[in-house]
C-alpha cells in the first residue's frame, strides 16, 4: 500500500510516522487491495488531530479524530475505520469480487462531479458566499443501500452517488433521528404518480 503521511504544525517524528503506518496497515486483514492511504497529523490549539483516508478499489474509508495526544488520535481514527470495516466486511469482499467499475476509465471520467464547501462569513456578506475548498469525486453508480454503506465508511453525514436504477444523481444523508434521507435529483420534471 502506498502511504503518504503529512505533518502540519507538528515536527515529523520518525516514531510517530512508523506508528501511523503500522496502524493503517492493519486494514489489510479486512481488505484485499488497499491501494493508498493519506494520513494528515496536525496540531491546532493543543488538539492533536489524525485524519486518515484509505482508498481500496471503489471504496474510500475515512477516520478523523482529535485528542490531547497524537498517538491516541491515530488510535481513535483507526478504531473508527476498523469498526466500519467489520460492519461491512462481507459486503466489501463480495463487491470487490464482482464489480470493477473503477477500472473502466471512460465511465469513471464521465461520472466525475465536483463538491464545494461554501463559507458565508459575516465580513464577506456583501461579497456573497466564498468557496473555501473544492473536492472532486466520482458519483459512481450504485444502489441506495451501497451508498449508505459508502457514507458510513467515510464517516460522513451525506453521500452523493449515481443511482444504478435511474442513472441519475442522488444524495443519501443521515438524519438527526439516526434514520436516512434520500434526495433524488433529475434533469427533467417527473409527472406525479398520484392522481
Amino acid at each position: 500500500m502506498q502511504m503518504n503521511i503529512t505533518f502540519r504544525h507538528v515536527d515529523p517524528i520518525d516514531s510517530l510516522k512508523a506508528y501511523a503506518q503500522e496502524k493503517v496497515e492493519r486494514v489489510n486483514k479486512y481488505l484485499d487491495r488497499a491501494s493508498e492511504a493519506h494520513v494528515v497529523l496536525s496540531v491546532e490549539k493543543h488538539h492533536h488531530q489524525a485524519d486518515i483516508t484509505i482508498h481500496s478499489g471503489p471504496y474510500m474509508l475515512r477516520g478523523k479524530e482529535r485528542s490531547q495526544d497524537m498517538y491516541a488520535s491515530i488510535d481513535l481514527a483507526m478504531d473508527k475505520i476498523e469498526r466500519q470495516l467489520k460492519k461491512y466486511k462481507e459486503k466489501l469482499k463480495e463487491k470487490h469480487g464482482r464489480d470493477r467499475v473503477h477500472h473502466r476509465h471512460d465511465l469513471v471520467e464521465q461520472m466525475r462531479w465536483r463538491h464545494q464547501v461554501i463559507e458565508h462569513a459575516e465580513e464577506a456578506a456583501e461579497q456573497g458566499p466564498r468557496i473555501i475548498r473544492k473536492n472532486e469525486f466520482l458519483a459512481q453508480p450504485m444502489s441506495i443501500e451501497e451508498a449508505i454503506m459508502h457514507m458510513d465508511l467515510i464517516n460522513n453525514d451525506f453521500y452523493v452517488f449515481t443511482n444504478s436504477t435511474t442513472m441519475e444523481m442522488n444524495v443519501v444523508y443521515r438524519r438527526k433521528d439516526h434514520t436516512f434521507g434520500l434526495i433524488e435529483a433529475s434533469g427533467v420534471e417527473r409527472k406525479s404518480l398520484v392522481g
Side-chain angles (χ1 to χ4, degrees):
M1 172 185 345
Q2 179 184 343
M3 191 170 312
N4 299 315
I5 301 177
T6 304
F7 293 87
R8 291 189 183 147
H9 310 294
V10 63
D11 293 330
I13 303 166
D14 287 339
S15 61
L16 192 57
K17 186 176 180 179
Y19 187 80
Q21 188 166 355
E22 178 187 323
K23 287 291 186 174
V24 170
E25 286 177 349
R26 287 175 35 186
V27 301
N28 289 326
K29 66 183 175 185
Y30 301 103
L31 297 171
D32 294 332
R33 53 193 165 103
S35 59
E36 61 182 301
H38 300 279
V39 179
V40 179
L41 306 175
S42 60
V43 176
E44 191 175 304
K45 297 181 181 178
H46 307 293
H47 293 287
H48 297 252
Q49 181 169 294
D51 188 351
I52 302 170
T53 306
I54 300 169
H55 297 272
S56 177
Y59 299 103
M60 182 173 76
L61 307 123
R62 186 161 186 233
K64 183 177 181 179
E65 286 292 337
R66 71 169 68 185
S67 72
Q68 298 298 316
D69 176 71
M70 189 61 78
Y71 292 93
S73 296
I74 292 168
D75 288 343
L76 292 168
M78 282 308 300
D79 287 348
K80 189 178 275 190
I81 289 172
E82 286 190 60
R83 274 195 307 274
Q84 296 304 330
L85 283 170
K86 287 176 186 173
K87 180 177 177 181
Y88 292 111
K89 184 178 178 180
E90 292 306 313
K91 287 185 181 185
L92 288 169
K93 287 198 181 284
E94 174 187 319
K95 184 76 172 167
H96 267 305
R98 66 176 169 80
D99 192 8
R100 307 275 184 211
V101 170
H102 60 284
H103 289 301
R104 290 186 241 147
H105 184 70
D106 293 340
L107 179 61
V108 164
E109 288 304 313
Q110 291 172 10
M111 303 185 130
R112 204 170 282 281
W113 298 92
R114 293 198 180 273
H115 167 69
Q116 300 175 341
V117 178
I118 298 177
E119 174 190 75
H120 192 31
E122 285 182 24
E123 61 270 12
E126 60 275 356
Q127 297 172 348
R130 184 171 62 102
I131 296 170
I132 59 170
R133 190 177 79 199
K134 286 186 178 184
N135 291 332
E136 190 171 290
F137 64 96
L138 301 174
Q140 299 179 24
M142 62 184 67
S143 69
I144 295 167
E145 181 182 86
E146 288 173 301
I148 291 170
M149 178 180 73
H150 278 270
M151 180 178 64
D152 278 347
L153 289 172
I154 62 171
N155 290 297
N156 212 351
D157 291 328
F158 71 94
Y159 191 77
V160 180
F161 67 105
T162 300
N163 188 316
S164 58
T165 304
T166 64
M167 293 310 289
E168 293 180 340
M169 188 174 71
N170 285 188
V171 178
V172 290
Y173 61 94
R174 192 180 322 277
R175 297 166 43 97
K176 289 180 182 177
D177 62 359
H178 304 291
T179 59
F180 300 101
L182 175 67
I183 298 171
E184 297 177 299
S186 178
V188 296
E189 186 177 345
R190 294 184 193 169
K191 293 186 179 183
S192 175
L193 297 176
V194 180

